[in-house]
Amino acid sequence: MDPASPSDEPPVFRRVLLKLSGESFARPGEGGINAEEVRRIADQAARVARRGVELAIVVGGGNILRGATLARGTDVIKEATGHYMGMMATVINGLALQDALEGIGCETRLMTPIRMDEVAEPYIRRRALSHLSVGRIIILAAGTGSPFVTTDTAAALRGKELEVDIILKATRVDGVYSADPEKNPHAVRYEALNFDQVVREDLKVMDGAAIGMCRDNRLPIIVFNYKREGNIERVVAGESIGTWVSDKARPAARPAEAG
Ligand code: UDP
């Protein structure tokens, strides 16, 4: 096999939840939405779904707005309002991703826990499961529907109730590091971590609420670099890229072939 091409191995996960931060919709260092970036991420997601993996995607909104950031240092906009605005931002990203996926032949549903019938379906767990069972990609926007948490928490919550095998946390670095690898050249990447270690060392995997929920519910997480073309497929095929976060061992991990 061409070492640069994604793995042809059968998927080791049957149902996955992919958490895409808002930054994956923008060019590096920029805000807003860049159509090329959206197309790239949609291409990768589509290939995973075509291999028969049931795919739920939770989208963030930090490329547009974060409630806590907006409210900081002002009382003009209430913090709760800022968080609702942040949830609206995730819907904007969700709409973009939906078009990109549908444009390449994937059937999708955009679902939100805040009613907005003209643009999205209400999030109903049983309906979400039914979409997954017929191969539709579900895009979950507007987080949990409640302020003061993030879409990481939404990912953990939906991951649990949709009984996914794994949360795939897409980032622009190759996994979880001992320090910020974009600032510290001596930072080392962890191959695997247990939840205690993540909490004890305050490692940047997902926010604290999400980590607590994943730990309590024994939901494993893989933190990996979505910027390397084909990495979502590689992770789903069981290649040992990124950082595995769980109290259990990684299933059938095979050596990384590239990236
Ligand atoms: N948000 C919220 N409740 C949720 C999910 C998100 O209030 O359940 C708001 C919160 O203000 C958050 C913003 O939406 O900052 C955008 O989501 P997030 O910061 O998680 O986006 P990401 O960092 O993944 O781009």
Side-chain angles (χ1 to χ4, degrees), residues 13-221:
F13 302 114
R14 180 186 53 97
R15 182 180 296 158
V16 307
L17 186 143
L18 173 66
K19 163 67 210 295
L20 289 179
S21 296
E23 68 176 14
S24 36
F25 291 80
R27 282 225 182 89
E30 292 181 8
I33 296 182
N34 178 275
E36 265 313 294
E37 299 289 333
V38 182
R39 192 185 56 76
R40 256 196 287 276
I41 204 94
D43 282 346
Q44 290 203 55
R47 289 201 299 268
V48 168
R50 287 191 185 116
R51 301 188 70 183
V53 176
E54 295 182 13
L55 182 59
I57 305 178
V58 168
V59 287
N63 55 320
I64 300 171
L65 193 140
R66 287 198 175 93
T69 314
L70 181 76
R72 203 169 291 147
T74 174
D75 54 7
V76 176
I77 300 169
K78 299 240 184 303
E79 189 174 349
T81 308
H83 287 300
Y84 280 105
M85 292 166 72
M87 285 188 266
M88 298 302 112
T90 71
V91 179
I92 294 174
N93 287 335
L95 284 165
L97 182 61
Q98 181 171 43
D99 265 8
L101 284 167
E102 298 261 342
I104 51 176
C106 296
E107 219 186 316
T108 68
R109 290 291 185 274
L110 177 63
M111 307 185 93
T112 58
I114 297 174
R115 292 294 292 255
M116 45 184 86
D117 295 349
E118 281 74 12
V119 293
E121 272 187 19
Y123 173 78
I124 297 169
R125 184 180 65 89
R126 291 174 64 94
R127 202 187 280 181
L129 288 169
S130 150
H131 290 320
L132 290 173
S133 73
V134 294
R136 294 185 186 120
I137 299 175
I138 55 170
I139 303 165
L140 304 173
T144 61
S146 297
F148 302 106
V149 288
T150 71
T151 52
D152 277 359
T153 303
L157 200 65
R158 299 298 182 231
K160 172 66 181 165
E161 66 176 312
L162 297 175
E163 298 176 0
V164 301
D165 301 319
I166 184 86
I167 292 185
L168 304 179
K169 164 85 176 173
T171 70
R172 54 176 195 216
V173 292
D174 288 335
V176 183
Y177 285 78
S178 54
D180 183 346
E182 291 180 347
K183 293 184 186 142
N184 184 342
H186 304 296
V188 284
R189 178 172 68 86
Y190 296 100
E191 296 257 321
L193 287 164
N194 61 42
F195 286 111
D196 276 349
Q197 210 177 341
V198 170
V199 174
R200 201 172 52 241
E201 296 176 29
D202 193 22
L203 296 169
K204 303 292 169 238
V205 175
M206 290 171 94
D207 68 44
I211 284 295
M213 211 174 286
C214 289
R215 178 176 57 186
D216 293 350
N217 293 296
R218 299 165 182 273
L219 194 50
I221 306 164

